[in-house]
Amino acid sequence: MTVAGIVAEYNPFHSGHLWHMEQTRRALGADTAVVCVMSGGFVQRGEWAVFSKFARAEAAARCGADIVLELPAAKALCSAEGFARGAVEVLEATGAVDCLSFGSECGDLALLERAARALMEPATDELIKRELASGVSYAAARQRALAQTAGEDAAAVSRPNDILAVEYIKAIYYLRSRMEPFTVARRGARHDERGTSELPSASELRARLAAGRSISDCVPSAADEVYRREARQGRGPVSADRMETALLSRLRMLPPESFAALAGASEGLENRLCRAARTEPTLDGVLAAAGTKRYAMSRLRRMLMCAAIGITAADTAADVPYIRVLAATARGRELLREMDGRSALPVITKPASVKKLDESCRRCFELECAADDLLALGCPAPQERRAGADWLTSPVML
């Protein structure tokens, strides 16, 4: 049996995600097991998730995933490179995943691999540094540098899913992973595109949820049942207004040292973020006041989320210390039993077991608890805003 890994956020899980799983199994074999690694309460674009990680993991498991593992917040709130590296670390550490399946706009694995190798060349690094010195953003600097070293292949780092695909391949190379890369050409709306496809993007679905509209026509029925249950019980969708108030309150109380400890804090950016957080009335206002054309808004949002949770540059740079299970099916549980003897890291199914692990594991788990406690403040029902749930919640076993 082949085991395929998929990196995702499932914010929320929708028909496009189901199609990706189906295409993966069509190519690799109908009996292929799927192990997903998924962001928790906060996602790579620097925002909070619309439903809890356990609800989103359950939706994925009910729609075809065999195991859903957690990508630690310190990796989920990274640049594309750090996000991909952390996800590949988790999947490789299982000792059970044979290939990594990811979506891409181009659908051309050979092109993506050439772009990844070009980005790993020392000469490309030097060109990126030179371009950065001219004052452009990192994304622009990388694109210009790659155009010089890879020619037409530079197009592979100009589109969101292609960018992540290249980073997954780089991570496989860096970690000398045994996993084989495999890509599925993305179908439907482009990343963040709204209202133009029969398969809307997750961004479009989040906008619908925020407006109180149904997403039932765009998500598998099994996932829709999970989302409807969460809404009935007051656990979602997470309210943007409540989250903004909670985040601004937290950010205003942080000392300058907390901003200085963030990954990416340089050139006075940490000082601008600190000042803006203490004076601006909205998160958008903080971003506008602190930003310059050199820094992407997604980078600033990630920094704000990390500051609010307590994630430092040291946390971001640390290796993933454990494998945490969020959901599993019957076949997934069989695979978990196999992983017991193969995994390179501790596999956590009971939160209390973290207390017996080393300091790095405890630190990582405490950050997950902080993230979930913060996310809980955005729940519609007051009784669902209690803290400490992450210590008490076991994986969803189907």
Side-chain angles (χ1 to χ4, degrees):
M1 177 183 68
T2 300
V3 180
I6 292 178
V7 183
E9 297 192 308
Y10 296 148
N11 186 32
F13 187 96
H14 56 66
S15 299
H17 297 132
L18 177 62
W19 187 81
H20 178 201
M21 281 191 196
E22 290 173 343
Q23 292 302 302
T24 299
R25 287 192 166 108
R26 181 173 297 178
L28 302 178
D31 66 339
T32 297
V34 172
V35 177
C36 298
V37 56
M38 186 191 79
S39 303
F42 290 81
V43 297
Q44 200 266 336
R45 57 185 287 129
E47 294 181 353
W48 51 87
V50 289
F51 293 105
S52 77
K53 61 193 178 190
F54 290 104
R56 287 161 35 239
E58 179 183 352
R62 291 192 181 279
C63 293
D66 293 294
I67 301 175
V68 182
L69 306 174
E70 182 174 37
L71 179 63
K75 300 299 183 182
L77 286 168
C78 273
S79 65
E81 183 176 21
F83 175 93
R85 177 75 171 263
V88 172
E89 282 183 23
V90 173
L91 291 172
E92 175 65 16
T94 66
V97 179
D98 303 303
C99 74
L100 176 60
S101 175
F102 45 81
S104 63
E105 286 89 357
C106 71
D108 186 338
L109 182 60
L111 184 154
L112 296 168
E113 289 181 318
R114 290 196 301 271
R117 286 192 291 269
L119 280 172
M120 295 173 71
E121 290 293 332
T124 306
D125 272 343
E126 290 304 314
L127 287 170
I128 291 174
K129 291 175 184 176
R130 190 181 308 168
E131 294 291 345
L132 284 171
S134 70
V136 301
S137 68
Y138 180 80
R142 182 179 58 182
Q143 189 71 20
R144 292 181 186 181
L146 198 59
Q148 296 177 59
T149 58
E152 294 180 357
D153 291 344
V157 293
S158 64
R159 294 158 297 204
N161 289 279
D162 286 346
I163 289 170
L164 271 174
V166 168
E167 294 301 339
Y168 293 139
I169 295 168
K170 282 174 54 186
I172 287 173
Y173 291 164
Y174 276 128
L175 296 170
R176 295 183 172 84
S177 170
R178 69 184 186 86
M179 291 188 293
E180 293 290 333
F182 171 77
T183 193
V184 174
R186 184 179 172 87
R187 189 179 72 165
R190 294 191 299 270
H191 181 76
D192 283 350
E193 187 177 41
R194 297 188 180 182
T196 61
S197 171
E198 62 179 9
L199 288 178
S201 68
S203 178
E204 166 69 12
L205 299 187
R206 291 193 296 272
R208 290 193 195 183
L209 289 168
R213 296 167 54 200
S214 173
I215 61 172
S216 297
D217 60 324
C218 301
V219 302
S221 59
D224 191 44
E225 289 175 10
V226 174
Y227 305 146
R228 287 176 176 272
R229 181 200 68 206
E230 294 298 291
R232 286 195 304 271
Q233 297 181 359
R235 292 197 289 259
V238 171
S239 163
D241 289 342
R242 278 188 290 271
M243 284 303 299
E244 181 172 65
T245 299
L247 285 161
L248 286 172
S249 176
R250 170 66 175 156
L251 292 169
R252 287 180 180 181
M253 291 187 289
L254 294 176
E257 295 78 28
S258 294
F259 291 91
L262 297 172
S266 61
E267 301 175 339
L269 178 57
E270 65 277 19
N271 298 325
R272 292 199 299 277
L273 282 172
C274 185
R275 284 195 300 269
R278 293 183 176 188
T279 57
E280 295 297 325
T282 65
L283 284 175
D284 284 344
V286 174
L287 293 166
T292 70
K293 65 179 182 180
R294 183 176 176 86
Y295 302 111
M297 284 295 108
S298 57
R299 174 180 175 178
L300 300 184
R301 287 196 300 265
R302 287 193 294 268
M303 291 179 73
L304 289 178
M305 298 304 128
C306 285
I309 296 167
I311 297 170
T312 67
D315 297 317
T316 299
D319 293 335
V320 173
Y322 56 66
I323 299 167
R324 187 183 185 189
V325 182
L326 298 179
T329 63
R331 184 163 71 156
R333 291 196 294 276
E334 292 179 10
L335 189 55
L336 284 172
R337 284 191 284 272
E338 292 180 23
M339 282 168 49
D340 273 345
R342 291 200 233 169
S343 62
L345 295 172
V347 178
I348 296 174
T349 54
K350 296 180 180 180
S353 66
V354 175
K355 297 176 181 178
K356 301 177 182 178
L357 301 179
D358 63 26
E359 184 178 349
S360 65
C361 292
R362 294 194 298 273
R363 169 66 180 171
C364 185
F365 196 88
E366 285 165 0
L367 289 173
E368 301 311 318
C369 293
D372 278 18
D373 287 349
L374 184 57
L375 186 73
L377 295 175
C379 288
Q383 67 271 19
E384 298 297 336
R385 299 176 202 157
R386 295 186 180 93
D390 216 23
W391 282 109
L392 304 173
T393 307
S394 297
V396 179
M397 295 296 184
L398 302 179

